[in-house]
mmCIF file with all atom_site columns, all heavy atoms in Angstrom:
data_model
loop_
_atom_site.group_PDB
_atom_site.id
_atom_site.type_symbol
_atom_site.label_atom_id
_atom_site.label_alt_id
_atom_site.label_comp_id
_atom_site.label_asym_id
_atom_site.label_entity_id
_atom_site.label_seq_id
_atom_site.pdbx_PDB_ins_code
_atom_site.Cartn_x
_atom_site.Cartn_y
_atom_site.Cartn_z
_atom_site.occupancy
_atom_site.B_iso_or_equiv
_atom_site.pdbx_formal_charge
_atom_site.auth_seq_id
_atom_site.auth_comp_id
_atom_site.auth_asym_id
_atom_site.auth_atom_id
_atom_site.pdbx_PDB_model_num
ATOM 1   N N   . SER A 1 3  ? -17.612 -13.956 41.595 1.00 0.00 ? 246 SER A N   1
ATOM 2   C CA  . SER A 1 3  ? -17.779 -14.774 40.384 1.00 0.00 ? 246 SER A CA  1
ATOM 3   C C   . SER A 1 3  ? -16.636 -14.542 39.402 1.00 0.00 ? 246 SER A C   1
ATOM 4   O O   . SER A 1 3  ? -16.195 -15.452 38.712 1.00 0.00 ? 246 SER A O   1
ATOM 5   C CB  . SER A 1 3  ? -19.121 -14.473 39.720 1.00 0.00 ? 246 SER A CB  1
ATOM 6   O OG  . SER A 1 3  ? -19.182 -13.119 39.333 1.00 0.00 ? 246 SER A OG  1
ATOM 7   N N   . THR A 1 4  ? -16.150 -13.275 39.326 1.00 0.00 ? 247 THR A N   1
ATOM 8   C CA  . THR A 1 4  ? -15.027 -12.958 38.441 1.00 0.00 ? 247 THR A CA  1
ATOM 9   C C   . THR A 1 4  ? -13.772 -13.688 38.876 1.00 0.00 ? 247 THR A C   1
ATOM 10  O O   . THR A 1 4  ? -13.040 -14.259 38.058 1.00 0.00 ? 247 THR A O   1
ATOM 11  C CB  . THR A 1 4  ? -14.772 -11.445 38.442 1.00 0.00 ? 247 THR A CB  1
ATOM 12  O OG1 . THR A 1 4  ? -15.947 -10.776 37.992 1.00 0.00 ? 247 THR A OG1 1
ATOM 13  C CG2 . THR A 1 4  ? -13.617 -11.100 37.516 1.00 0.00 ? 247 THR A CG2 1
ATOM 14  N N   . LEU A 1 5  ? -13.512 -13.679 40.198 1.00 0.00 ? 248 LEU A N   1
ATOM 15  C CA  . LEU A 1 5  ? -12.330 -14.372 40.720 1.00 0.00 ? 248 LEU A CA  1
ATOM 16  C C   . LEU A 1 5  ? -12.414 -15.867 40.455 1.00 0.00 ? 248 LEU A C   1
ATOM 17  O O   . LEU A 1 5  ? -11.420 -16.520 40.126 1.00 0.00 ? 248 LEU A O   1
ATOM 18  C CB  . LEU A 1 5  ? -12.189 -14.105 42.222 1.00 0.00 ? 248 LEU A CB  1
ATOM 19  C CG  . LEU A 1 5  ? -11.802 -12.676 42.611 1.00 0.00 ? 248 LEU A CG  1
ATOM 20  C CD1 . LEU A 1 5  ? -11.841 -12.508 44.123 1.00 0.00 ? 248 LEU A CD1 1
ATOM 21  C CD2 . LEU A 1 5  ? -10.413 -12.347 42.090 1.00 0.00 ? 248 LEU A CD2 1
ATOM 22  N N   . LEU A 1 6  ? -13.640 -16.419 40.598 1.00 0.00 ? 249 LEU A N   1
ATOM 23  C CA  . LEU A 1 6  ? -13.819 -17.839 40.339 1.00 0.00 ? 249 LEU A CA  1
ATOM 24  C C   . LEU A 1 6  ? -13.527 -18.168 38.885 1.00 0.00 ? 249 LEU A C   1
ATOM 25  O O   . LEU A 1 6  ? -12.873 -19.165 38.564 1.00 0.00 ? 249 LEU A O   1
ATOM 26  C CB  . LEU A 1 6  ? -15.260 -18.235 40.691 1.00 0.00 ? 249 LEU A CB  1
ATOM 27  C CG  . LEU A 1 6  ? -15.616 -19.724 40.474 1.00 0.00 ? 249 LEU A CG  1
ATOM 28  C CD1 . LEU A 1 6  ? -14.739 -20.605 41.358 1.00 0.00 ? 249 LEU A CD1 1
ATOM 29  C CD2 . LEU A 1 6  ? -17.099 -19.956 40.793 1.00 0.00 ? 249 LEU A CD2 1
ATOM 30  N N   . PHE A 1 7  ? -13.981 -17.283 37.968 1.00 0.00 ? 250 PHE A N   1
ATOM 31  C CA  . PHE A 1 7  ? -13.746 -17.474 36.530 1.00 0.00 ? 250 PHE A CA  1
ATOM 32  C C   . PHE A 1 7  ? -12.259 -17.418 36.204 1.00 0.00 ? 250 PHE A C   1
ATOM 33  O O   . PHE A 1 7  ? -11.735 -18.240 35.478 1.00 0.00 ? 250 PHE A O   1
ATOM 34  C CB  . PHE A 1 7  ? -14.499 -16.395 35.745 1.00 0.00 ? 250 PHE A CB  1
ATOM 35  C CG  . PHE A 1 7  ? -14.230 -16.443 34.258 1.00 0.00 ? 250 PHE A CG  1
ATOM 36  C CD1 . PHE A 1 7  ? -14.735 -17.470 33.472 1.00 0.00 ? 250 PHE A CD1 1
ATOM 37  C CD2 . PHE A 1 7  ? -13.465 -15.458 33.645 1.00 0.00 ? 250 PHE A CD2 1
ATOM 38  C CE1 . PHE A 1 7  ? -14.491 -17.512 32.105 1.00 0.00 ? 250 PHE A CE1 1
ATOM 39  C CE2 . PHE A 1 7  ? -13.220 -15.508 32.293 1.00 0.00 ? 250 PHE A CE2 1
ATOM 40  C CZ  . PHE A 1 7  ? -13.736 -16.531 31.536 1.00 0.00 ? 250 PHE A CZ  1
ATOM 41  N N   . LEU A 1 8  ? -11.549 -16.433 36.802 1.00 0.00 ? 251 LEU A N   1
ATOM 42  C CA  . LEU A 1 8  ? -10.114 -16.308 36.561 1.00 0.00 ? 251 LEU A CA  1
ATOM 43  C C   . LEU A 1 8  ? -9.362  -17.516 37.101 1.00 0.00 ? 251 LEU A C   1
ATOM 44  O O   . LEU A 1 8  ? -8.398  -17.988 36.503 1.00 0.00 ? 251 LEU A O   1
ATOM 45  C CB  . LEU A 1 8  ? -9.590  -15.020 37.202 1.00 0.00 ? 251 LEU A CB  1
ATOM 46  C CG  . LEU A 1 8  ? -10.067 -13.723 36.542 1.00 0.00 ? 251 LEU A CG  1
ATOM 47  C CD1 . LEU A 1 8  ? -9.609  -12.519 37.368 1.00 0.00 ? 251 LEU A CD1 1
ATOM 48  C CD2 . LEU A 1 8  ? -9.536  -13.606 35.127 1.00 0.00 ? 251 LEU A CD2 1
ATOM 49  N N   . SER A 1 9  ? -9.803  -18.007 38.257 1.00 0.00 ? 252 SER A N   1
ATOM 50  C CA  . SER A 1 9  ? -9.162  -19.186 38.845 1.00 0.00 ? 252 SER A CA  1
ATOM 51  C C   . SER A 1 9  ? -9.359  -20.384 37.927 1.00 0.00 ? 252 SER A C   1
ATOM 52  O O   . SER A 1 9  ? -8.479  -21.206 37.733 1.00 0.00 ? 252 SER A O   1
ATOM 53  C CB  . SER A 1 9  ? -9.748  -19.477 40.221 1.00 0.00 ? 252 SER A CB  1
ATOM 54  O OG  . SER A 1 9  ? -9.500  -18.409 41.104 1.00 0.00 ? 252 SER A OG  1
ATOM 55  N N   . PHE A 1 10 ? -10.551 -20.459 37.304 1.00 0.00 ? 253 PHE A N   1
ATOM 56  C CA  . PHE A 1 10 ? -10.848 -21.552 36.386 1.00 0.00 ? 253 PHE A CA  1
ATOM 57  C C   . PHE A 1 10 ? -9.909  -21.532 35.193 1.00 0.00 ? 253 PHE A C   1
ATOM 58  O O   . PHE A 1 10 ? -9.359  -22.555 34.790 1.00 0.00 ? 253 PHE A O   1
ATOM 59  C CB  . PHE A 1 10 ? -12.300 -21.423 35.923 1.00 0.00 ? 253 PHE A CB  1
ATOM 60  C CG  . PHE A 1 10 ? -12.701 -22.407 34.857 1.00 0.00 ? 253 PHE A CG  1
ATOM 61  C CD1 . PHE A 1 10 ? -12.810 -23.768 35.139 1.00 0.00 ? 253 PHE A CD1 1
ATOM 62  C CD2 . PHE A 1 10 ? -12.972 -21.975 33.565 1.00 0.00 ? 253 PHE A CD2 1
ATOM 63  C CE1 . PHE A 1 10 ? -13.174 -24.659 34.158 1.00 0.00 ? 253 PHE A CE1 1
ATOM 64  C CE2 . PHE A 1 10 ? -13.331 -22.871 32.587 1.00 0.00 ? 253 PHE A CE2 1
ATOM 65  C CZ  . PHE A 1 10 ? -13.436 -24.218 32.883 1.00 0.00 ? 253 PHE A CZ  1
ATOM 66  N N   . ILE A 1 11 ? -9.682  -20.336 34.625 1.00 0.00 ? 254 ILE A N   1
ATOM 67  C CA  . ILE A 1 11 ? -8.762  -20.212 33.487 1.00 0.00 ? 254 ILE A CA  1
ATOM 68  C C   . ILE A 1 11 ? -7.357  -20.602 33.896 1.00 0.00 ? 254 ILE A C   1
ATOM 69  O O   . ILE A 1 11 ? -6.642  -21.305 33.172 1.00 0.00 ? 254 ILE A O   1
ATOM 70  C CB  . ILE A 1 11 ? -8.788  -18.769 32.937 1.00 0.00 ? 254 ILE A CB  1
ATOM 71  C CG1 . ILE A 1 11 ? -10.138 -18.482 32.297 1.00 0.00 ? 254 ILE A CG1 1
ATOM 72  C CG2 . ILE A 1 11 ? -7.683  -18.547 31.925 1.00 0.00 ? 254 ILE A CG2 1
ATOM 73  C CD1 . ILE A 1 11 ? -10.285 -17.057 31.792 1.00 0.00 ? 254 ILE A CD1 1
ATOM 74  N N   . PHE A 1 12 ? -6.941  -20.161 35.094 1.00 0.00 ? 255 PHE A N   1
ATOM 75  C CA  . PHE A 1 12 ? -5.596  -20.467 35.563 1.00 0.00 ? 255 PHE A CA  1
ATOM 76  C C   . PHE A 1 12 ? -5.391  -21.967 35.696 1.00 0.00 ? 255 PHE A C   1
ATOM 77  O O   . PHE A 1 12 ? -4.368  -22.525 35.333 1.00 0.00 ? 255 PHE A O   1
ATOM 78  C CB  . PHE A 1 12 ? -5.357  -19.771 36.903 1.00 0.00 ? 255 PHE A CB  1
ATOM 79  C CG  . PHE A 1 12 ? -4.006  -20.083 37.509 1.00 0.00 ? 255 PHE A CG  1
ATOM 80  C CD1 . PHE A 1 12 ? -2.863  -19.470 37.020 1.00 0.00 ? 255 PHE A CD1 1
ATOM 81  C CD2 . PHE A 1 12 ? -3.878  -21.018 38.521 1.00 0.00 ? 255 PHE A CD2 1
ATOM 82  C CE1 . PHE A 1 12 ? -1.612  -19.758 37.569 1.00 0.00 ? 255 PHE A CE1 1
ATOM 83  C CE2 . PHE A 1 12 ? -2.631  -21.306 39.058 1.00 0.00 ? 255 PHE A CE2 1
ATOM 84  C CZ  . PHE A 1 12 ? -1.499  -20.684 38.586 1.00 0.00 ? 255 PHE A CZ  1
ATOM 85  N N   . LEU A 1 13 ? -6.411  -22.653 36.237 1.00 0.00 ? 256 LEU A N   1
ATOM 86  C CA  . LEU A 1 13 ? -6.299  -24.081 36.449 1.00 0.00 ? 256 LEU A CA  1
ATOM 87  C C   . LEU A 1 13 ? -6.222  -24.858 35.142 1.00 0.00 ? 256 LEU A C   1
ATOM 88  O O   . LEU A 1 13 ? -5.639  -25.927 35.060 1.00 0.00 ? 256 LEU A O   1
ATOM 89  C CB  . LEU A 1 13 ? -7.496  -24.579 37.267 1.00 0.00 ? 256 LEU A CB  1
ATOM 90  C CG  . LEU A 1 13 ? -7.486  -24.164 38.752 1.00 0.00 ? 256 LEU A CG  1
ATOM 91  C CD1 . LEU A 1 13 ? -8.808  -24.536 39.405 1.00 0.00 ? 256 LEU A CD1 1
ATOM 92  C CD2 . LEU A 1 13 ? -6.329  -24.828 39.489 1.00 0.00 ? 256 LEU A CD2 1
ATOM 93  N N   . LEU A 1 14 ? -6.837  -24.283 34.089 1.00 0.00 ? 257 LEU A N   1
ATOM 94  C CA  . LEU A 1 14 ? -6.757  -24.952 32.787 1.00 0.00 ? 257 LEU A CA  1
ATOM 95  C C   . LEU A 1 14 ? -5.332  -25.021 32.276 1.00 0.00 ? 257 LEU A C   1
ATOM 96  O O   . LEU A 1 14 ? -4.936  -25.962 31.605 1.00 0.00 ? 257 LEU A O   1
ATOM 97  C CB  . LEU A 1 14 ? -7.622  -24.216 31.762 1.00 0.00 ? 257 LEU A CB  1
ATOM 98  C CG  . LEU A 1 14 ? -9.134  -24.440 31.861 1.00 0.00 ? 257 LEU A CG  1
ATOM 99  C CD1 . LEU A 1 14 ? -9.844  -23.489 30.914 1.00 0.00 ? 257 LEU A CD1 1
ATOM 100 C CD2 . LEU A 1 14 ? -9.511  -25.874 31.541 1.00 0.00 ? 257 LEU A CD2 1
#
Side-chain angles (χ1 to χ4, degrees):
S246 61
T247 300
L248 290 174
L249 180 61
F250 176 71
L251 291 173
S252 297
F253 174 69
I254 292 177
F255 177 77
L256 288 172
L257 284 172

